[in-house]
């Protein structure tokens, strides 16, 4: 019987941190696959977030289209097949992190951001004369973006056209109150371009008596979303 030479896999494990005797490192994981590495490349991603440790061990090249719970630390490789990604960490995501995401996941179509920590660059700007210089992050294929589980800074990070370019965005899920603050009640021009092609908008959560739940939307709202076909107002998280 012929021996198996190639095995394409992605093994994901989640465990509560308080159940770990010690924190796993990338070297710990790599050593457990030392025999397999004689025939093919293996890599891993370890993320510690909100009391949970997540470990992805996978063969290279990565052939799957979905990857969940990637944090600030991940290998500098290109995931050409991944179109769905969830990023999550208890440490803030800075602008450079999203550059790395764009480089490592060049064909990304669906992105979900989970991070409740403010960006350090935003705090530094508030506390000093610090004026960061950004190069624009480009996601040419991104069609769906979920930000309702992210701190308000990440709404500006993605919708501010001087920071991020989203030419294909058609589905946006975001916290209503945070969105109105960032866009100054749909008056801020610098966050309008990345919203201009959105066809489905999901606000979560939103108050029943808020203006957006009423049949007639404001003129400024319609200018922000000229192609909007569906607006869903979720009353609960």
């Amino acid at each position: 019987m012929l021996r198996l030479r190639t095995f394409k896999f992605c093994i994901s494990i989640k465990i509560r941190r308080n159940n770990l005797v010690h924190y796993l490192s990338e070297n710990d994981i790599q050593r457990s696959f030392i025999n397999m590495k004689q025939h093919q490349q293996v890599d891993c991603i370890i993320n510690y977030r909100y009391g949970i440790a997540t470990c992805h061990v996978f063969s290279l090249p990565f052939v799957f289209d979905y990857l969940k719970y990637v944090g600030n630390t991940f290998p500098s490789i290109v995931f050409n097949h991944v179109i769905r990604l969830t990023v999550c960490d208890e440490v803030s995501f800075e602008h450079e992190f999203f550059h790395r995401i764009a480089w490592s996941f060049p064909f990304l179509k669906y992105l979900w951001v989970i991070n409740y920590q403010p960006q350090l660059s935003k705090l530094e700007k508030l506390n000093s004369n610090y004026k960061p210089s950004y190069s624009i992050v480009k996601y040419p294929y991104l069609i769906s973006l979920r930000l309702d589980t992210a701190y308000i800074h990440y709404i500006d990070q993605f919708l501010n056209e001087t920071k991020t370019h989203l030419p294909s965005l058609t589905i946006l899920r975001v916290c209503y109150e945070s969105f109105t603050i960032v866009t100054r009640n749909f008056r801020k021009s610098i966050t309008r371009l990345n919203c201009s092609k959105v066809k489905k908008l999901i606000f979560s959560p939103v108050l029943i008596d808020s203006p957006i739940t009423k049949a007639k939307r404001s003129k400024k709202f319609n200018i922000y979303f000229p192609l909007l076909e569906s607006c869903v107002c979720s009353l609960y998280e």
Side-chain angles (χ1 to χ4, degrees):
M1 182 176 178
L2 296 177
R3 291 184 177 181
L4 180 65
R5 292 288 183 179
T6 304
F7 177 40
K8 303 296 183 182
F9 65 91
C10 179
I11 303 171
S12 299
I13 301 172
K14 288 197 299 183
I15 187 172
R16 292 193 177 278
R17 271 198 255 184
N18 54 14
N19 292 334
L20 292 174
V21 177
H22 69 281
Y23 282 14
L24 294 173
S25 68
E26 183 177 342
N27 289 334
D28 293 330
I29 302 299
Q30 295 281 7
R31 278 195 295 270
S32 64
F33 285 85
I34 191 168
N35 292 330
M36 181 176 290
K37 290 176 67 176
Q38 296 176 7
H39 304 291
Q40 67 182 101
Q41 289 183 293
V42 177
D43 214 326
C44 66
I45 297 174
I46 302 173
N47 184 21
Y48 295 101
R49 57 184 177 84
Y50 306 110
I52 297 175
T54 303
C55 177
H56 304 292
V57 183
F58 47 86
S59 57
L60 294 176
F62 193 88
V63 298
F64 305 95
D65 66 356
Y66 186 29
L67 196 53
K68 295 177 66 176
Y69 305 126
V70 173
N72 275 287
T73 303
F74 60 92
S76 296
I77 57 179
V78 178
F79 297 83
N80 278 322
H81 294 278
V82 174
I83 61 172
R84 295 178 179 269
L85 178 68
T86 301
V87 292
C88 178
D89 209 323
E90 57 189 16
V91 178
S92 64
F93 292 139
E94 301 303 318
H95 187 77
E96 182 57 32
F97 169 80
F98 294 109
H99 265 300
R100 292 170 54 219
I101 290 293
W103 182 85
S104 289
F105 303 91
F107 299 105
L108 195 61
K109 291 185 177 181
Y110 304 87
L111 178 61
W112 181 7
V113 180
I114 305 173
N115 196 308
Y116 300 101
Q117 299 302 315
Q119 289 182 303
L120 296 178
S121 57
K122 284 280 190 179
L123 296 179
E124 290 174 354
K125 185 177 180 180
L126 289 173
N127 296 328
S128 67
N129 293 323
Y130 173 72
K131 294 183 179 180
S133 177
Y134 297 111
S135 56
I136 298 176
V137 183
K138 298 179 181 180
Y139 296 98
Y141 303 105
L142 192 71
I143 62 175
S144 178
L145 176 62
R146 182 173 179 180
L147 296 173
D148 61 320
T149 50
Y151 195 79
I152 189 173
H153 290 173
Y154 301 101
I155 299 176
D156 182 72
Q157 171 68 48
F158 277 94
L159 299 187
N160 189 325
E161 65 182 66
T162 66
K163 298 179 181 180
T164 306
H165 183 47
L166 303 174
S168 303
L169 185 66
T170 57
I171 303 172
L172 175 63
R173 180 164 183 164
V174 67
C175 174
Y176 174 75
E177 291 185 1
S178 297
F179 186 80
T180 55
I181 292 171
V182 170
T183 63
R184 297 176 187 167
N185 284 317
F186 315 109
R187 292 182 175 88
K188 192 174 181 181
S189 60
I190 206 169
T191 51
R192 184 185 301 143
L193 179 62
N194 283 330
C195 296
S196 62
K197 294 184 179 179
V198 171
K199 295 182 178 180
K200 182 175 183 179
L201 180 62
I202 304 171
F203 283 129
S204 172
V206 64
L207 300 176
I208 294 177
D209 60 350
S210 67
I212 203 65
T213 61
K214 298 178 181 179
K216 187 176 181 180
R217 300 175 186 137
S218 70
K219 181 179 179 180
K220 291 183 174 61
F221 177 88
N222 291 330
I223 292 174
Y224 241 79
F225 300 102
L227 301 181
L228 191 64
E229 297 175 356
S230 172
C231 182
V232 179
C233 300
S234 174
L235 301 181
Y236 304 98
E237 292 281 9

